[in-house]
Each structure stands twice: as C-alpha cells, then as structure tokens.
Amino acid sequence: FVGNSLFTVQELYQACAEFGKALPIIPPELLSQELRERYHEKGYFDATIDYYDEGSSLLFAIHEGSRSNIEQVVVNGADDLN
C-alpha cells in the first residue's frame, strides 16, 4: 500500500483479510472496490485506488483526495413538521 494516510497499512491489510481463505482468488478489482468503500465511509468520496501486479504480490496505490463536508441540507415540502 502506498499513498495512504487515513488508514494504517495494518488496517488496510485487515480489510483485505476479511475475505479469509478466499483472499488469494479474489480479483484485484474487488479488493480495490472494498478499500474504496472504506474511504467513502469516512467521507473521502474522491478516493481512487489503483493496483499493480508485482508478480507474487499486488501494490495498491491510494489517492485519498479531500474529505467531503456537508455545508447545507435543504428539505423541501417539510412545512407541516412543526
């Protein structure tokens, strides 16, 4: 793993390890998607994760981007809630 700062390498390994004994046969695209979802859960919606086959291992290059912030919530048609 390179480029990660939000999650430690250990946390990212743990996310992959949740696949258990099936991990060696899981397509890299699925692992990348799983890791990206972890970033989305923390508000990093622009996070991208590329992977490179290094022969006997995979290298995940993480581009976290900026954390998203909700500035305003508008609810239409809620006049009768008071």
Side-chain angles (χ1 to χ4, degrees), residues 33-50:
Q33 179 182 349
E34 177 66 27
L35 296 173
R36 196 170 38 254
E37 287 175 11
R38 302 285 173 124
Y39 278 91
H40 289 178
E41 289 171 1
K42 297 291 185 179
Y44 288 80
F45 298 109
D46 293 330
T48 60
I49 302 177
D50 300 312

Side-chain angles (χ1 to χ4, degrees), residues 21-76:
K21 292 181 181 180
L23 182 61
I25 62 170
I26 300 295
E29 296 87 3
L30 184 58
L31 293 172
S32 177
Q33 179 182 349
E34 177 66 27
L35 296 173
R36 196 170 38 254
E37 287 175 11
R38 302 285 173 124
Y39 278 91
H40 289 178
E41 289 171 1
K42 297 291 185 179
Y44 288 80
F45 298 109
D46 293 330
T48 60
I49 302 177
D50 300 312
Y51 63 89
Y52 303 94
D53 189 342
E54 299 285 316
S56 62
S57 63
L58 290 172
L59 172 67
F60 289 95
I62 300 169
H63 307 280
E64 295 178 338
S66 299
R67 186 171 189 197
S68 299
N69 294 311
I70 298 174
E71 294 180 10
Q72 182 179 13
V73 176
V74 177
V75 179
N76 291 320

